[in-house]
């Protein structure tokens, strides 16, 4: 059986809201001038939630490029905290998500195309595919949880989804 094709959609604050936050400098977010007029601060863009007994850590993930078409066979979630990704290379990338809750099916998946100036903060427990860099090795600044309790669940989809081409 041929996997269903996931339909790409642009990453917008409104469309992504059920899964977390879009991190971007835009007029839609609170911003103001600081540093004697030299800097515009785009303020409080993501709720970095590390839950009880956790602490925020900052890492760089270096993602190997994925080739399209790409088959989405698994998803993961972090039940104890959020996980934010901000691209450092200005390159577009793909985001596959499904709502928090029971293990997702292919019908639950949504595919977003993120511009190179947009980050995402996955909400606590939101299912997502691991990093999907395109075309070239890409670095991402990642803010997430460190703590003593395990914080990553992985599932294999009963029926995979197919990413044929981004928008």
């Amino acid at each position: 059986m041929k996997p269903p094709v996931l339909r790409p959609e642009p990453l917008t604050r409104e469309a992504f809201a059920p899964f977390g936050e879009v991190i971007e400098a835009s007029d839609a977010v609170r911003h103001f001038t600081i540093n004697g007029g030299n800097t515009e601060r785009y303020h409080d863009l993501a709720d970095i939630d590390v839950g009880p007994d956790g602490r925020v850590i900052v890492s760089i993930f270096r993602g190997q490029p994925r080739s399209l078409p790409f088959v989405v066979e698994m998803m993961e979630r972090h039940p104890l905290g959020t996980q934010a990704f901000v691209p450092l290379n200005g390159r577009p990338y793909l985001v596959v998500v499904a709502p928090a809750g029971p293990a997702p099916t292919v019908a639950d998946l949504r595919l977003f195309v993120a511009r190179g100036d947009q980050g995402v903060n996955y909400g606590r427990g939101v299912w997502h595919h691991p990093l999907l860099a395109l075309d070239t090795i890409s670095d991402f600044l990642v803010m997430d949880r460190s703590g003593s309790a395990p914080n990553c669940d992985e599932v294999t989809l009963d029926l995979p989804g197919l990413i044929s081409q981004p928008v």
Side-chain angles (χ1 to χ4, degrees):
M1 176 187 252
K2 192 174 179 183
V5 174
L6 302 178
R7 301 286 173 218
E9 48 187 302
L11 182 66
T12 66
R13 297 173 65 76
E14 298 77 23
F16 195 74
F19 310 105
E21 296 131 338
V22 174
I23 302 170
E24 66 181 330
S26 81
D27 288 339
V29 299
R30 183 172 173 221
H31 60 100
F32 47 91
T33 304
I34 61 172
N35 300 128
N38 192 55
T39 303
E40 191 72 9
R41 177 178 177 150
Y42 293 84
H43 186 71
D44 197 15
L45 299 177
D47 179 15
I48 306 299
D49 174 5
V50 295
D53 304 318
R55 68 181 187 86
V56 175
I57 59 171
V58 177
S59 307
I60 292 178
F61 286 18
R62 181 160 289 156
Q64 300 298 310
R66 307 291 183 131
S67 297
L68 299 180
F70 179 81
V71 178
V72 177
E73 298 178 298
M74 62 82 66
M75 297 289 280
E76 68 177 32
R77 70 175 175 185
H78 305 283
L80 302 179
T82 61
Q83 190 177 44
F85 286 79
V86 179
L88 297 176
N89 299 94
R91 306 266 326 141
Y93 61 102
L94 301 177
V95 175
V96 177
V97 290
T105 67
V106 70
D108 299 318
L109 304 183
R110 287 187 61 190
L111 169 63
F112 293 97
V113 179
R115 299 186 320 258
D117 64 345
Q118 293 178 304
V120 294
N121 184 38
Y122 298 118
R124 184 192 293 218
V126 166
W127 292 99
H128 60 278
H129 192 278
L131 190 56
L132 291 167
L134 297 170
D135 300 325
T136 188
I137 295 170
S138 299
D139 288 347
F140 291 79
L141 184 70
V142 178
M143 292 155 280
D144 62 351
R145 179 187 196 280
S146 179
S148 58
N151 188 33
C152 186
D153 299 328
E154 293 184 357
V155 295
T156 300
L157 297 171
D158 290 340
L159 176 66
L162 179 67
I163 301 172
S164 58
Q165 294 293 321
V167 174

